[in-house]
Amino acid sequence: MRIAHTMLRVKSMADSLDFYTNKLGLELRSHKELPGADADLAFVRDPKSGHEIELTYNHDGRDYDLGDAFGHIAFYVTSVDETFEEWRAKGVEFSLEPKTMKNGTRIAFAVDPTGYKLELIEAPDQA
């Protein structure tokens, strides 16, 4: 068994594609409209891990409540401070600026255009 992808419903496909590809550096694997489903699907891929995120935009105008059950998507980075500065310079918003946890782990939380949280974890050996 292997995890295939993680799906996120997005408020704007254009904003989400710009965010995940141009700002975060994920690769666009595919983008297509599903006329019968009245939706667009795009798959972005992390070139290092191979993990994919499916971005789904529904054309029917419905609004989504992110709820409080979903937490975040985590990214290992070589340096939280350097990634924070790089992403912030590209216009990425943060809900938590870099900080060191009691266990010594350095983290930060970014927010995508829909409101999903993305955790940065400083782990040079895993980045």
Side-chain angles (χ1 to χ4, degrees):
M1 181 172 71
R2 183 171 64 100
I3 294 175
H5 62 264
T6 301
M7 188 274 263
L8 301 175
R9 294 191 193 283
V10 299
K11 292 181 181 179
S12 166
M13 183 60 79
D15 291 346
S16 295
L17 282 175
D18 177 61
F19 180 85
Y20 284 99
T21 60
N22 296 326
K23 294 179 180 172
L24 271 54
L26 300 184
E27 299 171 342
L28 177 62
R29 193 177 65 71
S30 68
H31 181 201
K32 61 185 173 185
E33 186 173 341
L34 301 175
D38 199 25
D40 281 13
L41 297 182
F43 286 86
V44 293
R45 179 181 178 274
D46 171 19
K48 286 189 178 180
S49 71
H51 187 79
E52 293 184 351
I53 299 173
E54 173 188 341
L55 305 173
T56 301
Y57 174 76
N58 295 98
H59 297 262
D60 60 9
R62 64 181 123 160
D63 198 18
Y64 297 102
D65 178 11
L66 296 183
D68 59 4
F70 176 80
H72 59 270
I73 299 172
F75 294 82
Y76 289 126
V77 296
T78 302
S79 167
V80 165
D81 294 297
E82 288 175 14
T83 305
F84 171 79
E85 291 300 333
E86 176 188 328
W87 287 12
R88 190 170 67 169
K90 293 179 179 179
V92 174
E93 294 183 24
F94 283 80
S95 62
L96 177 70
E97 294 195 3
K99 72 178 269 182
T100 303
M101 304 297 289
K102 289 181 182 179
N103 67 0
T105 303
R106 193 126 175 94
I107 67 166
F109 277 89
V111 182
D112 86 350
T114 300
Y116 294 109
K117 291 185 180 177
L118 310 174
E119 181 181 19
L120 301 178
I121 303 170
E122 190 162 305
D125 57 328
Q126 296 180 62

